[in-house]
Every structure is written in C-alpha cells, then in structure tokens.
Amino acid sequence: MFHPVVGLRHDTTPVQLRSFSAGVRTLLSEHASVDSLSVRVRFVRFGASSVDVDIFAYVFAHDGNNFLEIQEELLYGIMDIVEKAGAPIALPSQSLYLATDKSDKITQATPDYSERSKGDALH
C-alpha cells in the first residue's frame, strides 16, 4: 500500500493544486506496479502549515525491498510533479502577528529622558 500525504504551501494556487493532483493520478495510473483501479489522489484539508493532498494506491511487489524500490520511484516522480506544477512542498511553520497599541497609554507610562542634561546619569 502506497499512502503518502503531501503538504503543499498555503500560497499554492488552485491551478497549481489541480495540476499537481492530475499529474500524480497519471503517474500512478500508468505505473506498471500500481493497481490503477485503486488510485486515489484528493485534496483533503487546509492544514496548519500546508494544503494536504492524500495519495493512495495498491502496489504490486515481490517483497519488502521491491516495494521500497517502487515507493522510491513513485516519490521521485511526485517530486518531479511538484516542481513542474510550481507548488513547493510545505515546511512546518508558524506565523506571528504583532499588534501595536496606538493609544497614549504606552507613551504616558514611559518617562521622557530626552530633557535630562548630559551631567545627569541613570543609576
């Protein structure tokens, strides 16, 4: 069973996302070691750090090592499709928004030391 979830950056456009999904469907459906009837590629969620595409297919393999070879080949193919679609893979990230208080409360609470003479020192 081949079942990666690919997270693309939030700035991925709908056109890029559709191109990526169609490319992965084609890759899997045309691969000799993949059961083409089992292929499923779906945009499933807006994640915290990415837009997530769930990829699923059954793979015909002789043994575990053969499965890993096929999986590697498919993952390289998916990376190529990501690049062609112009929709880079997302990295875990967070955005921090800082708000400013425009009221006079902050400026009133802060002493104005610009009026001190040069001889005065802060201790």
Side-chain angles (χ1 to χ4, degrees):
M1 178 174 62
F2 180 70
H3 192 199
V5 175
V6 176
L8 303 173
R9 288 185 2 188
H10 278 284
D11 59 354
T12 300
T13 67
V15 170
Q16 290 171 320
L17 189 56
R18 286 184 186 100
S19 174
F20 170 77
S21 296
V24 173
R25 275 188 205 97
T26 300
L27 170 74
L28 296 176
S29 295
E30 294 178 353
H31 196 283
S33 297
V34 173
D35 176 9
S36 62
L37 296 176
S38 70
V39 172
R40 183 184 70 223
V41 181
R42 294 286 180 233
F43 170 36
V44 292
R45 76 178 128 299
F46 292 100
S49 300
S50 61
V51 290
D52 296 336
V53 178
D54 185 73
I55 301 168
F56 178 88
Y58 287 114
V59 174
F60 303 117
H62 305 292
D63 56 30
N65 190 49
N66 181 233
F67 172 79
L68 291 176
E69 289 172 13
I70 296 165
Q71 176 176 265
E72 180 179 45
E73 184 179 331
L74 294 172
L75 290 172
Y76 280 136
I78 289 170
M79 287 180 71
D80 289 339
I81 294 165
V82 165
E83 187 175 328
K84 286 177 190 171
I89 301 232
L91 300 173
S93 64
Q94 291 182 341
S95 296
L96 177 64
Y97 297 95
L98 299 175
T100 58
D101 186 352
K102 302 220 184 263
S103 72
D104 289 337
K105 293 177 188 174
I106 294 175
T107 56
Q108 290 174 356
T110 306
D112 183 9
Y113 293 109
S114 63
E115 298 292 322
R116 288 184 173 239
S117 66
K118 291 183 180 182
D120 292 343
L122 294 177
H123 299 284

